[in-house]
Amino acid sequence: MTRFVQSEMHPQRWGDPEAATALPEAARGLIEMAFGIDERPAAASVAVPTAELSADLLDGLRAVVGEEHVLTDDATRRLRTRGKSTPDLLRARSGDLGDAPDVVVRPDGHEQVAAVLALAVEHHLAVVPFGGGTSVTGGLVARREGYAGLVSLDLVRMKRLLAVDHVSMTAVLEPGLRGPEAESLLAEEGLTLGHYPQSFEYATIGGFAATRSSGQSSAGYGRFDALVVGLRVATPRGELVLGSAPANAAGPDLRQLVLGSEGAFGVITSVTVRVRRLPAEKVYEGWHWPSFEAGADAMRTLAQSGLLPTVIRLSDEAETAINLARPDEIGGASSGGCLMITGYEGEPAANAAKRAAVTSVLEGLGGTGLGEEPGRAWAHGRFGAPYLRDSLLDVGVLVETLETATFWSNRERLYADVKAALETTLGEGALVLCHVSHVYETGCSLYFTVATKLGDDPLAQWHAAKVAASDAMVAAGATITHHHAVGTDHRPWLTREIGELGASVLRAVKADLDPTGVLNPGVLIP
């Protein structure tokens, strides 16, 4: 079995500090002109609260997973605290890691996970499943009140490729595999999953499933929930094994209860996914559109014609103007209008045929091809934006993202209402940028990025903007989240989206699978 050397994400920053780069000079100049430079270094050291768990309880955990896999040291607990939203980082940078778990437990397989859950029920311990730690919606911040302690159930040891079926084109993966690790193991079999969210380098298979993740190549490969054909889940009530066929009519599909459940119903211990042959060629290119509306209409035409490329995304005028689609060139020159990126992954002949058909449609609708250079630049920098956020926080600029989705007929209203809510709340000088991140025959996702000068109370500053934007989404009839999940941040709006009866159904499922409420308490369930 191949083992991978992997870096841990910094507790106060995104990713590997060795991979971070300084702000490009053009970007620094833009920031200084728009907001001024206000150096905001992170706290030099971050303390975690003292853990107070009984020796008997710790011994019970050690008996299940082994002494070396029950960790109570400050360094490990620090690395398993919260996720990576801007509020998470602001708290950590100020020296606040008050949500640190009392113990980090690392099981190795379904049976050990089930045994840990049994102990958690017996001692009434809150359990937070931990994969890559990339949550941006408070999905790793469980409610502690009323519990004997908080366990971070770290799935880092569960990272095996359990099975491959080359005939059916499926693979069984453990939940702790990070995106690159899963792709590496599949590549040895000549296969790919093709799931590339911006968090790809750190997010895990289990996290993809538990949050209904959507990747940058989902137009071609599908959202992660569409890739899942089977699941194995450990719950406090027992084991769920779901997915006996590619499709069935055996009642409601219980896989859908687990997908998007964020560890509130059970712990995913393996995922069976459909896979594809490794693409022989990947080609990305850029297109120019005179307006966001024109580019979005072109995307709709492609989607409804069955001509979507593997990758397609469209930046609005503001995002195009500062080159956010190319993080290493922020602040560089822009030709105006809107930038679209398209990409093709597969056999050269199939790519050429699809590309020719797409080109014909886009040119006919008024698009101007920019060649492959913009596409290569986007592909090169597509995982770099979270590092840019850290660099901006360092100089006093608050940067955060949020996303939603709606039907095509409602796109313009949603875009205008959310943008107005953010601009009104954050005030003069704030930058509100947007791109269409994912498209479907019936609608699309809008992904907003906000940049503004850090105020005296940045947590309250962002909270006010988040509330206003979320209210606008729900008022416009859109979803509160397209691919970031619910966590604790979106939970106040979930009942408005699914109705009181829908919320009651979720509570009933929770009560049946987790009757003592030990799994990720306070997350997801209204």
Side-chain angles (χ1 to χ4, degrees), residues 86 90 392-393 396-400 426 450-455 458-459 461-462:
T86 294
L90 288 170
L392 291 171
L393 285 173
V397 178
L398 184 153
V399 179
E400 186 57 300
L426 292 170
V450 170
T452 191
K453 185 177 177 62
L454 276 172
L459 289 173
Q461 180 185 16
W462 174 245

Side-chain angles (χ1 to χ4, degrees), residues 196-207:
Y196 297 102
Q198 195 169 72
S199 59
F200 169 74
E201 295 171 306
Y202 287 91
T204 60
I205 294 296

